[in-house]
Amino acid sequence: MERKEFRDLASPDDARAAIGSLSLEGGIDRVSLEDARGRVLVTRLDAELDVPGFDRASLDGYALRARDTFGADEADPARLEVVGEVHAGEKPDVELEDGQATEISTGAVMPSGADAMVPVERTDTDEPGDGGTDVLIRTSVAPGDNVMFAGADVAAGERALGPGTRITPRDIGLLSALGVNEVPVRGKPRVGIVSTGDELVRPGEDLESERGEIYDVNSYTIAAGVEDAGGEAVLYPHAGDERDEMERVLREAAGECDLVLSSGSTSASAVDVIYRVIEEQGELLLHGVSVKPGKPMLVGRLESSAYVGLPGYPVSAMMVFRTFVAPAIREAAGLPEPTEATISGRMARQERYGEGRLRLMPVGVVGDATGEPLVYPVDKGSGATTSLAEADGVVEVDPETDYLEAGESVTVRLFSPDIRPPTLLGVGEDDPTLNRLLDGLENPRYLSVGSRPGVRRLREGVPDVAVVAGPLDRDIEATELGRWSREWGLIVQAGNPREIEALADVVDRDLRFVNRTTDSGLRSSLEAAIDDLAADRDASARDVRGTIDGFDLGLRAHESPARKVIAGEADVGLGLRETADRLDLGFVPVGEQSVRVLANPDRTGKDSVRELKTALESGPNGD
């Protein structure tokens, strides 16, 4: 297959213009009142009746002729004959004459002949002895007092709601009062979502990692973005990398939707063929945009549907979606751009770039010692799925910018106005005791980067705290908040069928071993133990490590080696006793390791740091 190359990348403005040239409108829907909230009216609605449709009393009291009360006061009340009563929901059966009043309830129809009403608390009743009842009016009223006349709320023929109104609960109340039970609204753009790739599996289905399968992230994250933007998301079965099947799914989606969004198979490699399908079966308007992440974006048409191809990596896909596609969906749905919340802050550390493309950099925000925002990049690469989950917003870096200096002011576009940056930012060692501590704090964020990177970031002044385990290369200027010990060693299969008794067995026997990454404190303690073993044997530590099958296979999370043992892919894994106990595995102890929580000296006064210190003083295990 001929390889397609990116040559002249379109500018971000060209990409917006190309998407803007597509028709995404979903037509007109007629929806019931209970389904109307948040929808957008397509035409003006006028009142077909007065609201209220009758003159009604505003209070409990007496309906009367205002002129019968003129001059009345507390000392000289007006005496009127009470003739009947009217309650809400009843048709009055009395007509007032001079000198008469009718008892009336709030919201009841005013009887004929009455032009005002007096609240009950300004009256007294009297029985003159002729079997009737009089009411003594201790105030004077004018015509119309305490009466809501027909049409006072909304008059028939009056403009009630205009086109383009996004219907709120208040508007639903108005439409209910007008007797409207169905409204014409702008149809939601119907957006078909197709993820491509033979490696994808839907969440809930069995995953075969040995075949390189991964769960489909993009379909669900993009669908949620479509719904947030006012569209109707339709998920289609994921398409494999075979062209005929991919074309079939795309055509099905195009026949049923206003817009088709695919993810993956958009790059210029020989196996990524979507752009060829669009080019040959539809119209390709654009392929490749000068933006990072998201360069291989496609824009075009397929049959009667608009089409946008998103990159396959989750971070790239979502950044391109929210930057270019979501605004077009909102416009088609008739929704205004959301109120964009921004935060100005200082870069926590220097960030180099220099690729000559607009960079959409996911960032996190944390308060410094004075509460001022510090901004730090959290991008783990386009292939990572958690970058956006750990980010609060985006900093747009101009193509001409080669680097951002530490301390440089930047503007962060938050993902939504209700984003709350974390109260505490921690980095460092992955540890189950730490996880329990964090559960008791309000809105913390913890990045499990390992002990050594945690120390490095603490030196840079980014996090509030770093959690470190095992020996450190050098001292660090920090305030220790607390510490605890954990037992580490070798995790083996339940019952220890290989009869592993000590670290020497891993060195001397033919065992498959799984290590932790070099950033891990557990790895540091293991290397120190191997150094001691080598010294006892008068051997080279490097040679001893070289005899261990899998020593260089390092996994990031503290449970990962144990899960390799469970899967039968290893005989021994480096880990914690707590992990072995929780997963019902065997454990061979090697040593004790101290875990320390170190605080940035400038942040010890932060409420969240003090709260963590209190939790540590109470006992990291809840003692």
Side-chain angles (χ1 to χ4, degrees), residues 127-456:
E127 296 181 0
D130 58 1
T133 301
D134 290 347
V135 61
L136 303 179
I137 309 297
R138 300 189 180 280
T139 186
S140 60
V141 292
D145 281 0
N146 304 313
V147 177
M148 176 176 279
F149 290 101
D153 197 352
V154 181
E158 196 171 72
R159 187 178 193 267
L161 296 174
T165 298
R166 188 179 187 187
I167 300 173
T168 65
R170 178 188 58 189
D171 300 322
I172 288 177
L174 172 59
L175 294 172
S176 299
L178 294 173
V180 174
N181 67 340
E182 189 177 77
V183 290
V185 295
R186 186 176 295 196
K188 292 184 177 183
R190 188 174 169 86
V191 181
I193 298 170
V194 180
S195 288
T196 67
D198 291 329
E199 74 280 11
L200 296 181
V201 176
R202 286 285 169 89
E205 298 177 0
D206 292 335
L207 189 73
E208 297 184 39
S209 297
E210 62 274 14
R211 296 185 56 212
E213 292 181 344
I214 58 174
Y215 282 120
D216 180 3
V217 173
N218 288 346
S219 289
Y220 297 93
T221 53
I222 294 169
V226 167
E227 298 285 347
D228 279 348
E232 177 189 352
V234 182
L235 270 64
Y236 287 85
H238 86 268
D241 291 324
E242 197 273 322
R243 170 167 175 159
D244 290 343
E245 174 63 10
M246 191 179 295
E247 182 175 338
R248 185 194 67 78
V249 176
L250 287 173
R251 283 187 173 278
E252 179 184 353
E256 298 172 348
C257 299
D258 305 298
L259 167 66
V260 176
L261 293 177
S262 71
S263 63
S265 297
T266 59
S267 74
S269 73
V271 299
D272 292 333
V273 298
I274 277 191
Y275 75 89
R276 300 182 187 276
V277 173
I278 303 302
E279 198 171 43
E280 296 172 13
Q281 305 299 326
E283 180 182 8
L284 183 63
L285 301 179
L286 179 150
H287 184 202
V289 180
S290 183
V291 63
K292 178 181 179 178
K295 179 174 73 172
M297 179 170 63
L298 293 170
V299 180
R301 297 183 179 90
L302 182 61
E303 297 183 353
S304 60
S305 176
Y307 170 79
V308 177
L310 304 173
Y313 284 146
V315 171
S316 298
M318 284 306 299
M319 296 299 278
V320 168
F321 173 83
R322 72 182 307 272
T323 302
F324 297 101
V325 183
I329 294 175
R330 282 192 291 268
E331 182 178 358
L335 301 181
E337 283 293 310
T339 302
E340 186 171 80
T342 60
I343 290 180
S344 295
R346 296 179 293 109
M347 288 295 296
R349 61 177 174 81
Q350 186 184 83
E351 177 73 5
R352 292 190 174 276
Y353 180 48
E355 292 191 21
R357 290 185 279 156
L358 173 68
R359 183 182 181 188
L360 306 173
M361 181 172 70
V363 297
V365 180
V366 65
D368 64 10
T370 64
E372 293 300 312
L374 278 178
V375 180
Y376 58 94
V378 297
D379 194 355
K380 299 178 181 178
S382 297
T385 61
T386 58
S387 292
L388 294 183
E390 295 174 355
D392 300 304
V394 176
V395 170
E396 292 191 0
V397 184
D398 291 333
E400 296 80 16
T401 300
D402 291 331
Y403 58 87
L404 297 171
E405 289 282 7
E408 183 174 343
S409 179
V410 293
T411 298
V412 180
R413 291 191 296 113
L414 297 178
F415 289 135
S416 68
D418 57 356
I419 284 287
R420 289 193 310 142
T423 56
L424 177 87
L425 176 64
V427 299
E429 190 77 4
D430 185 20
D431 181 85
T433 299
L434 171 68
N435 292 337
R436 290 191 292 272
L437 282 168
L438 294 176
D439 288 342
L441 304 182
E442 180 186 359
N443 193 32
R445 176 178 295 152
Y446 190 77
L447 309 179
S448 299
V449 296
S451 291
R452 290 172 180 169
V455 168
R456 183 174 64 251

